[in-house]
Amino acid sequence: MVLSGALCFRMKDARLKGLYLHDNQLQAGGLQAGKVIKGEEISVVPSQSLDAKLSPVMLGVQGGSQCLSCGTGQEPTLKLEPVNIMELYHSAEESKRFTFYWRDTGFTSSFELAAYPGWFFCTVPEADQPLRVTQLLKDTSWDGPITDFYFQQYD
């Protein structure tokens, strides 16, 4: 299957904080200036260079003109890079730093960094904090990182 454009999603963490763009970073929050945050439109395409059985996806914002990357350092660092998501989709180059394995658990989803196995992107309980990464822990507490997201497609 070849896509002509990215699919559109909205994302909230398990505590219902929506993702929004602020100072070129994705942050999670519920209110901003007294208004409910609608949430950033997340552009999604599959990564064709990795095993489809693992549900590899690339995520973008601003109409897919910037893509979420985990970097290339020794440890992952989430950032937005000015790369068009459809160019990544059509490229034959391996794009692991832009790829996340989408783990659908029924009601929520989690996203593992393809380039850093065992690392997931997450939010923290406090509002208006940037999206970050964490290693999945077996003993998760109420005040720990939030790796579960409601991920809803829309037209």
Side-chain angles (χ1 to χ4, degrees), residues 2 19 31 36-37 47 49 55 63 72 93 95 101-102 107 111 113 122 133 144:
V2 176
L19 297 187
L31 294 173
V36 174
I37 295 171
S47 174
S49 65
S55 300
T72 57
E93 290 181 39
S95 53
Y101 294 126
W102 177 5
F107 292 109
F111 296 86
L113 286 61
C122 68
V133 295

Side-chain angles (χ1 to χ4, degrees), residues 85-141:
I85 197 166
M86 292 310 294
E87 288 177 15
L88 283 176
Y89 173 72
H90 291 296
S91 173
E93 290 181 39
E94 192 267 323
S95 53
K96 229 179 198 182
R97 79 173 192 265
F98 295 104
T99 304
F100 302 86
Y101 294 126
W102 177 5
R103 309 275 188 245
D104 187 355
T105 59
F107 292 109
T108 60
S109 298
S110 63
F111 296 86
E112 183 178 14
L113 286 61
Y116 298 87
W119 288 82
F120 291 76
F121 69 67
C122 68
T123 61
V124 294
E126 299 81 31
D128 305 315
Q129 296 297 310
L131 197 63
R132 52 190 76 178
V133 295
T134 188
Q135 288 184 299
L136 201 55
L137 307 170
K138 290 182 181 179
D139 181 29
T140 57
S141 64

Side-chain angles (χ1 to χ4, degrees), residues 139-151:
D139 181 29
T140 57
S141 64
W142 180 251
D143 60 349
I146 303 162
T147 58
D148 291 327
F149 293 87
Y150 296 102
F151 197 54

Side-chain angles (χ1 to χ4, degrees), residues 2-17:
V2 176
L3 294 178
S4 59
L7 303 174
C8 297
F9 286 76
R10 293 234 192 261
M11 186 181 292
K12 291 182 179 184
D13 71 13
R15 298 220 185 136
L16 302 179
K17 293 188 312 285

Side-chain angles (χ1 to χ4, degrees), residues 12-26:
K12 291 182 179 184
D13 71 13
R15 298 220 185 136
L16 302 179
K17 293 188 312 285
L19 297 187
Y20 66 94
L21 196 58
H22 179 72
D23 289 338
N24 204 39
Q25 283 188 319
L26 277 175

Side-chain angles (χ1 to χ4, degrees), residues 33-107:
K35 294 183 179 177
V36 174
I37 295 171
K38 183 178 179 181
E40 190 70 27
E41 178 181 297
I42 308 292
S43 302
V44 179
V45 296
S47 174
Q48 299 184 95
S49 65
L50 298 172
D51 186 354
K53 292 177 194 165
L54 299 174
S55 300
V57 294
M58 294 178 279
L59 308 169
V61 296
Q62 294 187 318
S65 65
Q66 294 190 71
C67 291
L68 193 59
S69 163
C70 62
T72 57
Q74 193 164 353
E75 293 216 350
T77 305
L78 282 184
K79 60 184 175 181
L80 290 170
E81 293 190 33
V83 178
N84 183 287
I85 197 166
M86 292 310 294
E87 288 177 15
L88 283 176
Y89 173 72
H90 291 296
S91 173
E93 290 181 39
E94 192 267 323
S95 53
K96 229 179 198 182
R97 79 173 192 265
F98 295 104
T99 304
F100 302 86
Y101 294 126
W102 177 5
R103 309 275 188 245
D104 187 355
T105 59
F107 292 109

